[in-house]
Amino acid sequence: MGITKSEHFTDEQNELATLAKAIGHPARIAIIQHLIKVNSCVCGDIVNELPLAQPTVSQHLKELKNAGLIKGNFEGNAICYCLNEEGFNKIKDFFQHINTYLENKKNQCC
Amino acid sequence: MGITKSEHFTDEQNELATLAKAIGHPARIAIIQHLIKVNSCVCGDIVNELPLAQPTVSQHLKELKNAGLIKGNFEGNAICYCLNEEGFNKIKDFFQHINTYLENKKNQCC
DNA sequence: CATCTATATCGTAATATTGCAATATAAATA
DNA sequence: TATTTATATTGCAATATTACGATATAGATG
């Protein structure tokens, strides 16, 4: 089959999965790290930073954008990308929940 | 090609991507949420909680285990699964870094 | 030991992802 | 308007993922 049975899961579960999946590629991790590192809007030098061809980078940017993790504005004929808080805020709560749980859990068999 | 070019990225980037990718499926989000909810080791009732066949659940558990996000102990003829702090701690720093950045960033074009 | 119960593995079909060359598009500039 | 520059889209091949029936395995129990 190969189709993820999204309809059997909650919207929250599907949304979190989509976000995590979008982050789940080293090229997309690299893009996120680069956007943080340069601490400003990046107008296209992402292609030069990555060991991938331009169409491939464009595809990764598209996936991050679709997931709501980055956003881009036209700036002349270039595009200015930066992180999108909305997307990251959605994951933040999930991980904070997990961390709180892990800090307090006791008497587990493993 | 379809092969992720892991060799061109740093170990950290590959590791973070592997962790995020493992989380990036609604069934695996559901497993994580369930393990937190029951607040104890779960010996096999995960299959009953999910809308998927037993082999499929077993496969998802394997992926979470391989990524270091859960661990399992034999408990009689059943297996006891719970969250693995190690894996989650690795992602924690990444997201904390992002959150700190997002809270402080200013004067961005987007 | 035979059987039951719980979980894993195998095999396979359907689908998704990754990557890139070629090409298209769109704004800027000569 | 022709050209350049920046980015996106298309098309396709290679590979990975998802799902499940069938089957294997391993401990518990009769």
Side-chain angles (χ1 to χ4, degrees):
Chain A
M1 319 254 148
I3 293 181
T4 293
K5 296 180 141 187
S6 313
E7 70 276 14
H8 294 325
F9 298 98
T10 67
D11 287 351
E12 191 206 12
Q13 286 164 345
N14 284 315
E15 192 166 37
L16 286 170
T18 299
L19 288 162
K21 194 175 177 182
I23 298 173
H25 190 286
R28 299 195 286 266
I29 295 275
I31 290 171
I32 294 168
Q33 288 177 332
H34 182 66
L35 289 175
I36 292 178
K37 184 179 159 205
V38 297
N39 192 31
S40 73
C41 289
V42 167
C43 303
D45 62 344
I46 300 172
V47 171
N48 300 320
E49 288 290 321
L50 296 194
L52 297 170
Q54 179 268 323
T56 309
V57 174
S58 184
Q59 198 172 287
H60 285 304
L61 288 167
K62 189 179 174 185
E63 280 179 61
L64 286 170
K65 199 161 68 177
N66 287 344
L69 290 164
I70 65 172
K71 47 189 173 179
N73 282 341
F74 279 87
E75 189 118 323
N77 64 340
I79 295 185
C80 158
Y81 282 110
C82 62
L83 296 192
N84 185 350
E85 291 188 61
E86 265 189 75
F88 285 101
N89 281 337
K90 283 177 186 160
I91 324 177
K92 192 168 79 174
D93 293 343
F94 177 65
F95 282 106
Q96 278 180 350
H97 187 192
I98 293 174
N99 289 330
T100 305
Y101 167 72
L102 286 173
E103 281 162 13
N104 298 323
K105 77 165 179 147
K106 298 257 159 52
N107 299 321
Q108 305 255 332
C109 70
C110 50
Chain B
M1 317 253 153
I3 292 181
T4 292
K5 297 180 140 186
S6 313
E7 71 275 14
H8 293 325
F9 298 97
T10 67
D11 287 350
E12 191 205 12
Q13 286 164 344
N14 284 316
E15 191 166 38
L16 286 170
T18 299
L19 288 163
K21 193 175 179 183
I23 297 173
H25 189 287
R28 300 195 284 267
I29 295 275
I31 290 170
I32 292 168
Q33 288 176 331
H34 182 67
L35 289 175
I36 292 177
K37 185 179 157 203
V38 298
N39 191 27
S40 71
C41 290
V42 167
C43 303
D45 64 341
I46 299 172
V47 172
N48 301 320
E49 288 290 321
L50 294 195
L52 296 170
Q54 178 267 324
T56 309
V57 174
S58 186
Q59 200 171 287
H60 284 305
L61 288 167
K62 190 180 174 184
E63 280 179 60
L64 285 170
K65 199 161 70 179
N66 287 343
L69 291 165
I70 65 172
K71 46 189 173 178
N73 281 340
F74 279 87
E75 188 115 323
N77 63 338
I79 295 184
C80 158
Y81 282 109
C82 62
L83 297 193
N84 185 351
E85 291 187 62
E86 265 188 78
F88 285 100
N89 281 338
K90 283 177 186 160
I91 322 177
K92 194 169 74 175
D93 293 341
F94 177 65
F95 282 106
Q96 278 180 350
H97 187 193
I98 292 174
N99 289 330
T100 304
Y101 167 72
L102 286 173
E103 281 162 14
N104 299 323
K105 80 162 175 150
K106 296 256 160 55
N107 300 323
Q108 303 257 329
C109 70
C110 51

